[in-house]
Amino acid sequence: MAKKFTTIEEMENDTKILKVKAGEVGIDTWQDRAEQQKNHCQFGEKGICCRNCSMGPCRITPKSPKGICGATAHTIAGRNYLQFAAGGAAAHSDHGREICYTLAETRPDGIYKVKDEAKCISVAKEFGVETEGRDIYDIAHDLAMQGLNEYGKPFGFQTFINRATEERRNKWMELGIAPRAVDHEVTESMHMCHMGVQADPKSFVKQAMRVGLADGWGGSMMGTEFSDIIFGTPSPIETEANLGVLSQDMVNIVVHGHDPSVSEAVAVIAETPEMVAKAKAVGAKGINIVGLCCTSNEVTMRHGIPMVGNFLQQENAILTGAVELIVVDVQCVFPAIGPLSKCFHTKFISTSPKAKIPDSEFILVEPKNAEEAATTIVNTAIENFVNRDASKVFIPEHKEKAKVGYSCEAIIGELDGVTNSFVDEPGTYKPLIECIKAGVLRGAVGIVGCNNPKVRADYSHIGIIKELIKNDIIVVTTGCSAQAAAKAGLMDPEAKELCGDGLKRVCDLVGIPPVLHMGSCVDISRILKLTHTVAKEWGIDVTQLPVVGCAPEWMSQKAVAIANYVVASGLDTYLGIEPQVKGSDEIMHLITDGSREMVGAGYIIEMDPDKLVTAMVDGIEAKRTALNI
Ligand code: SF4
Ligand code: MSK
């Protein structure tokens, strides 16, 4: 019998029921607050409000076309845009820095170990760390120091740019946007944005690319690779997604945020027989860890821990009344979780000094105390199980099966399994390239990014992905987009039934779903590595690949940093939410056609998801025509 996939309407109906529950306990949710925030300030929307000094704030109107200092709409919008990108690069890269510190604390008998020794050695070699005849932990600790050095080294560029194609590196050098130390790029961006410094629109856009590249090929890539070394490089694994993964009769713990160090420790401790026995002693059947946002992506890729939801589902998870404890690290955590958790028995624990949240209990989790802190957290959840109020519990039944864990290494591993059918070159993407050349696959799209209340939650992600796979375009995805796809069943290998004939054949042969989960937001660095390796193996520039990026529902500063590094890395990026620069036609030109002139790729901005996906398919077909394939 043909599989029935969860529809967006079914998900919205679950949300509606949970929203009624919110009303019953007297708490607001994002839907209420989005309504209250309407209509957004147009100066902010257009990027032409400046409050970079106390002579202002200055706002640009036809009657007041310049700020008090003389800054034009182009300077102000460019400055705001660069600040946005720098904020995103800072957040991602600081996450990567924390992972370096975790790597520095790995021990054979500790909670953080070196799980992927081969990757530790190969990455260490890239960083010039001596590996011959040395203990793996000595190598890992030296690598951690080299990684930390990438943040503040006085000279040179990010080490990982050596993974990019020569053409891209030359382009970055020629334009003066090759990424130096991560902290240097963030600081210089903020300096440029200070009152009375940079005023040239093009320079803001170029620096936004540079700080983005420091994120993508620096902080984020270290976050990904070093996490793989510590927690294991993901390989295909089965899991489930959506609110139905919460359990009626187990202790439910939600992990939320981005840095996997906390969630990994919690997952390891929760699996111990002592903890399981404790949970049983309080009447539960066991411990059920589930994830939200990118922390979820990290632990699902490595342990198959179910995904309870994405960004706009964080309140829904608590509203089920079935969550004993939610533990958060950094980024994308609504402060609203504080008052909301108080309406239920849910314990809310924050763990990073960078993200203390009112109405949460703060338990510091650092590499040195992670085991002890995670034990306290899991114990707190177990003890709280008896406080669950059955009359307040509603767990929607919807959940979908998903096959996740497609790191670059895993994709190559899957291709190797069928190399003889295509081309006998194991350890390469050659079979994939041959499929694209032959037209069995028309191309690939990397769909990433958040939810945004400005558009229907998950609607664009799911609709666009369905249309792409129908057109034989394979999808790789990360972040909240990955979770939207998983909730809709698009990561179930059965989703091949929704594909065109070519992609369906590939899914059958390789044994993959048509939508590949590549991880969290920092793991977009995996997509950089994949596309640049494919371009090298194909022998063409990245800009020529029938491959594009898409962020249909983005909202965060991190998304702008990502969009900048994806474009500067040579891939057109399709945005379903407008960047806040509309008040300056110069900046708007520079991030679209202007950037195409500079780096061979740019943004395509379209709020209508149907038109956005049509533009994407046309864009891919145009690249195919240009390649004569
Ligand atoms: Fe106004 Fe210029 Fe100050 Fe901005 S920097 S607030 S435009 S005076
Ligand atoms: S969690 S940055 S809402 S993708 Fe990475 Fe999701 Fe966007 Fe946060």
Side-chain angles (χ1 to χ4, degrees):
M1 203 172 63
K3 176 183 161 69
K4 148 119 189 43
F5 294 89
T6 308
T7 64
I8 187 96
E9 288 76 17
E10 285 169 326
M11 293 185 219
E12 287 174 339
N13 198 42
D14 290 340
T15 297
K16 225 190 249 171
I17 298 169
L18 292 165
K19 181 81 195 70
V20 171
K21 279 191 72 190
E24 283 166 6
V25 297
I27 194 79
D28 52 58
T29 63
W30 65 264
Q31 294 92 331
D32 304 309
R33 299 186 298 270
E35 199 53 41
Q36 288 157 9
Q37 286 296 336
K38 272 186 183 167
N39 295 310
H40 291 287
C41 163
Q42 283 306 297
F43 296 102
E45 278 276 15
K46 292 180 182 163
I48 47 173
C49 170
C50 179
R51 47 181 196 81
N52 281 11
C53 84
S54 70
M55 293 193 283
C58 297
R59 303 183 306 180
I60 301 301
T61 68
K63 275 193 184 161
S64 54
K66 288 179 186 171
I68 293 168
C69 66
T72 62
H74 313 304
T75 295
I76 293 174
R79 215 152 48 185
N80 289 338
Y81 178 72
L82 173 56
Q83 273 182 11
F84 223 81
H92 269 159
S93 299
D94 205 35
H95 162 174
R97 186 193 330 251
E98 292 295 343
I99 300 295
C100 293
Y101 283 118
T102 306
L103 184 64
E105 288 295 329
T106 48
R107 288 197 320 267
D109 58 346
I111 194 153
Y112 302 131
K113 299 184 171 55
V114 172
K115 263 204 184 151
D116 189 337
E117 295 195 5
K119 183 169 269 197
C120 183
I121 290 168
S122 72
V123 176
K125 282 183 179 160
E126 286 182 79
F127 277 78
V129 173
E130 182 57 58
T131 57
E132 271 315 299
R134 297 186 70 203
D135 181 83
I136 195 72
Y137 284 86
D138 290 339
I139 297 171
H141 298 158
D142 282 358
L143 177 58
M145 294 314 291
Q146 286 298 320
L148 288 166
N149 196 38
E150 293 290 297
Y151 287 83
K153 63 184 180 187
F155 302 105
F157 302 99
Q158 285 300 301
T159 298
F160 275 139
I161 66 168
N162 292 327
R163 292 177 166 190
T165 63
E166 199 182 342
E167 178 274 338
R168 273 299 97 176
R169 272 180 281 132
N170 290 341
K171 175 63 76 186
W172 297 336
M173 296 296 176
E174 177 199 317
L175 287 170
I177 60 169
R180 299 160 293 182
V182 177
D183 291 350
H184 187 160
E185 298 305 354
V186 174
T187 304
E188 188 159 312
S189 300
M190 296 311 286
H191 181 185
M192 284 169 74
C193 292
H194 190 276
M195 190 272 153
V197 187
Q198 185 61 265
D200 170 42
K202 191 171 183 181
S203 299
F204 287 121
V205 172
K206 281 174 66 179
Q207 181 60 22
M209 289 189 199
R210 194 171 205 180
V211 76
L213 288 168
D215 172 2
W217 295 90
S220 277
M221 202 168 274
M222 285 190 279
T224 297
E225 297 289 38
F226 294 5
S227 291
D228 283 357
I229 292 169
I230 306 164
F231 308 120
T233 301
S235 57
I237 188 165
E238 284 175 9
T239 186
E240 292 178 326
N242 213 347
L243 292 161
V245 303
L246 286 166
S247 168
Q248 292 282 0
D249 41 28
M250 293 170 94
V251 174
N252 289 311
I253 300 178
V254 176
V255 291
H256 180 15
H258 281 74
D259 179 342
S261 305
V262 175
S263 47
E264 281 277 344
V266 169
V268 168
I269 296 294
E271 272 177 7
T272 57
E274 301 92 280
M275 286 298 178
V276 176
K278 275 190 187 177
K280 288 189 174 157
V282 297
K285 285 204 174 138
I287 303 171
N288 183 37
I289 311 262
V290 298
L292 276 170
C293 283
C294 280
T295 282
S296 174
N297 291 323
E298 298 276 357
V299 288
T300 202
M301 291 271 285
R302 299 195 177 91
H303 303 281
I305 286 176
M307 297 171 268
V308 72
N310 47 359
F311 183 60
L312 284 183
Q313 197 143 288
Q314 54 188 295
E315 288 167 295
N316 279 359
I318 310 298
L319 283 166
T320 62
V323 173
E324 273 58 58
L325 184 142
I326 175 165
V327 54
V328 304
D329 48 84
V330 290
Q331 303 168 17
C332 300
V333 179
F334 277 1
I337 299 292
L340 173 60
S341 63
K342 294 272 173 280
C343 299
F344 295 89
H345 73 303
T346 307
K347 299 274 184 200
F348 176 28
I349 308 232
S350 54
T351 57
S352 166
K354 293 171 201 168
K356 287 188 173 176
I357 302 170
D359 285 327
S360 69
E361 184 189 334
F362 180 70
I363 298 179
L364 178 69
V365 182
E366 302 179 300
K368 282 190 196 313
N369 79 339
E371 190 160 357
E372 193 192 331
T375 305
T376 306
I377 291 166
V378 176
N379 269 324
T380 307
I382 295 171
E383 285 159 17
N384 197 26
F385 182 70
V386 294
N387 297 321
R388 194 191 286 184
D389 178 350
S391 71
K392 281 188 174 175
V393 173
F394 166 70
I395 303 176
E397 65 182 23
H398 291 114
K399 61 177 175 181
E400 288 279 357
K401 285 196 186 122
K403 201 167 168 200
V404 300
Y406 291 98
S407 56
C408 295
E409 295 78 357
I411 292 173
I412 288 178
E414 298 286 60
L415 292 172
D416 279 353
V418 290
T419 32
N420 289 332
S421 315
F422 292 96
V423 38
D424 199 6
E425 283 193 56
T428 70
Y429 293 109
K430 289 274 169 71
L432 176 68
I433 296 168
E434 290 310 314
C435 278
I436 295 176
K437 280 187 186 167
V440 179
L441 297 179
R442 306 302 295 173
V445 176
I447 303 201
V448 303
C450 328
N451 299 126
N452 188 323
K454 286 184 174 163
V455 294
R456 220 170 136 185
D458 291 338
Y459 180 83
S460 301
H461 287 300
I462 295 169
I464 287 172
I465 292 175
K466 282 187 174 169
E467 190 58 26
L468 290 172
I469 61 176
K470 199 168 91 188
N471 280 283
D472 288 329
I473 294 169
I474 192 165
V475 172
V476 295
T477 176
T478 64
C480 289
S481 184
Q483 291 159 338
K487 289 191 294 177
L490 304 177
M491 288 177 178
D492 183 335
E494 287 302 307
K496 67 186 180 192
E497 298 307 332
L498 306 176
C499 301
D501 289 345
L503 179 54
K504 183 171 185 278
R505 202 140 53 91
V506 171
C507 291
D508 270 333
L509 206 60
V510 189
I512 52 170
V515 182
L516 302 181
H517 193 322
M518 291 194 80
S520 64
C521 297
V522 294
D523 291 339
I524 295 168
S525 65
R526 297 190 202 275
I527 301 178
L528 292 181
K529 195 170 138 189
L530 186 148
T531 47
H532 279 244
T533 310
V534 165
K536 285 183 208 167
E537 288 179 5
W538 191 328
I540 57 176
D541 291 345
V542 181
T543 50
Q544 293 177 283
L545 292 175
V547 176
V548 300
C550 174
E553 302 182 23
W554 71 273
M555 62 85 204
S556 74
Q557 293 172 316
K558 290 178 289 173
V560 174
I562 293 165
N564 269 288
Y565 72 65
V566 172
V567 161
S569 297
L571 299 169
D572 277 327
T573 298
Y574 291 70
L575 302 177
I577 303 282
E578 283 174 330
Q580 292 168 336
V581 302
K582 256 192 320 190
S584 162
D585 52 0
E586 258 188 66
I587 297 292
M588 194 48 112
H589 166 75
L590 281 163
I591 60 176
T592 51
D593 294 340
S595 96
R596 217 159 277 120
E597 284 157 22
M598 280 189 276
V599 295
Y603 298 157
I604 294 92
I605 304 163
E606 173 56 63
M607 295 286 280
D608 178 335
D610 294 333
K611 288 187 186 157
L612 190 67
V613 71
T614 304
M616 244 182 287
V617 174
D618 291 349
I620 284 172
E621 289 301 330
K623 297 230 178 206
R624 292 188 63 89
T625 307
L627 280 168
N628 228 349
I629 54 172

